[in-house]
Amino acid sequence: DVKVTQSSRYLVKRTGEKVFLECVQDMDHENMFWYRQDPGLGLRLIYFSYDVKMKEKGDIPEGYSVSREKKERFSLILESASTNQTSMYLCASSFRAGTYSPLHFGNGTRLTVT
Amino acid sequence: AQTVTQSQPEMSVQEAETVTLSCTYDTSESDYYLFWYKQPPSRQMILVIRQEAYKQQNATENRFSVNFQKAAKSFSLKISDSQLGDAAMYFCAYRSGRGAQKLVFGQGTRLTINP
């Protein structure tokens, strides 16, 4: 079974702190994604990556950056956390090849910025 | 840009009955995929069913089936013989058939099953 592991289930940070959300997958997937989930808005794509050291902006990249130094790990960085970044963050991964490859999700990190 | 709309924030159904969740989408593409994901309280997103746009036949997975109306850009999910374990948030999602493999999600529908 594919496993996508997010390092923290719950996280509480202060405004202005630098925050790292870590995601690791064990299936050698090329694609990795970071989504943000908010009530009434569904899931919105922050950043995604097709390969090591590659990254592309999603729909809401402002205030975030990412790092992919190794294929299995995709980090989401909040350079200076703000209260409007309080949310649930979901990481996902998939194979790049083929016409269809399902997304496999982690269990999410609920981040509270106070 | 593609958009996905779920107009029902909440739905409820009696156990063993049938419920239909609505989803519409907007795209100018002809090649794409549509999905329904389930998110139970554990937060783990689970793929329920998928549909390729080039296939006319509606996808079915056990008690779950879709009504795919390509011209109307509608993709509803029908759950038959509802069970307590079906209670969850349900998300409709779109993926382009070319280029980026990212998913575009709807707002979600919270489904409650009444015993």
Side-chain angles (χ1 to χ4, degrees), chain B residues 2-87:
Chain B
Q2 295 83 19
T3 59
V4 177
T5 301
Q6 294 177 248
S7 58
Q8 307 154 315
E10 295 182 351
M11 293 280 286
S12 63
V13 64
Q14 290 296 125
E15 193 175 3
E17 304 218 327
T18 296
V19 64
T20 299
L21 308 184
S22 301
C23 173
T24 58
Y25 58 95
D26 188 26
T27 184
S28 58
E29 298 177 332
S30 58
D31 181 21
Y32 53 88
Y33 302 87
L34 296 165
F35 306 85
W36 278 98
Y37 277 85
K38 167 185 176 180
Q39 186 184 44
S42 67
R43 300 191 208 159
Q44 180 67 53
M45 293 281 278
I46 301 164
L47 178 63
V48 175
I49 199 166
R50 67 177 172 103
Q51 175 83 40
E52 293 88 342
Y54 62 85
K55 289 187 177 178
Q56 293 188 348
Q57 187 170 4
N58 289 323
T60 299
E61 289 287 343
N62 301 312
R63 298 183 294 107
F64 298 87
S65 61
V66 298
N67 184 5
F68 174 46
Q69 302 286 331
K70 191 171 184 179
K73 296 180 182 173
S74 170
F75 182 60
S76 60
L77 174 70
K78 185 171 86 171
I79 305 173
S80 304
D81 185 26
S82 298
Q83 300 175 1
L84 295 178
D86 295 333

Side-chain angles (χ1 to χ4, degrees), chain A residues 4-58:
Chain A
V4 180
T5 303
Q6 294 184 231
S7 54
S8 303
R9 193 159 173 85
Y10 298 94
L11 210 53
V12 180
K13 295 292 181 179
R14 293 195 180 276
T15 301
E17 276 193 79
K18 189 169 185 175
V19 181
F20 293 86
L21 302 184
E22 306 287 348
C23 176
V24 177
Q25 49 92 5
D26 65 358
M27 277 300 292
D28 205 33
H29 285 167
E30 293 89 359
N31 298 332
M32 295 190 76
F33 307 83
W34 274 107
Y35 283 89
R36 170 177 171 160
Q37 181 180 353
D38 298 289
L41 297 177
L43 280 72
R44 294 177 291 166
L45 183 64
I46 305 171
Y47 267 97
F48 59 104
S49 169
Y50 288 139
D51 207 340
V52 176
K53 296 194 187 294
M54 292 181 62
K55 60 184 179 184
E56 290 201 30
K57 293 180 180 179

Side-chain angles (χ1 to χ4, degrees), chain B residues 89-101:
Chain B
M89 282 290 290
Y90 285 82
F91 292 97
C92 179
Y94 170 101
R95 203 202 91 185
S96 173
R98 55 185 173 84
Q101 292 187 354

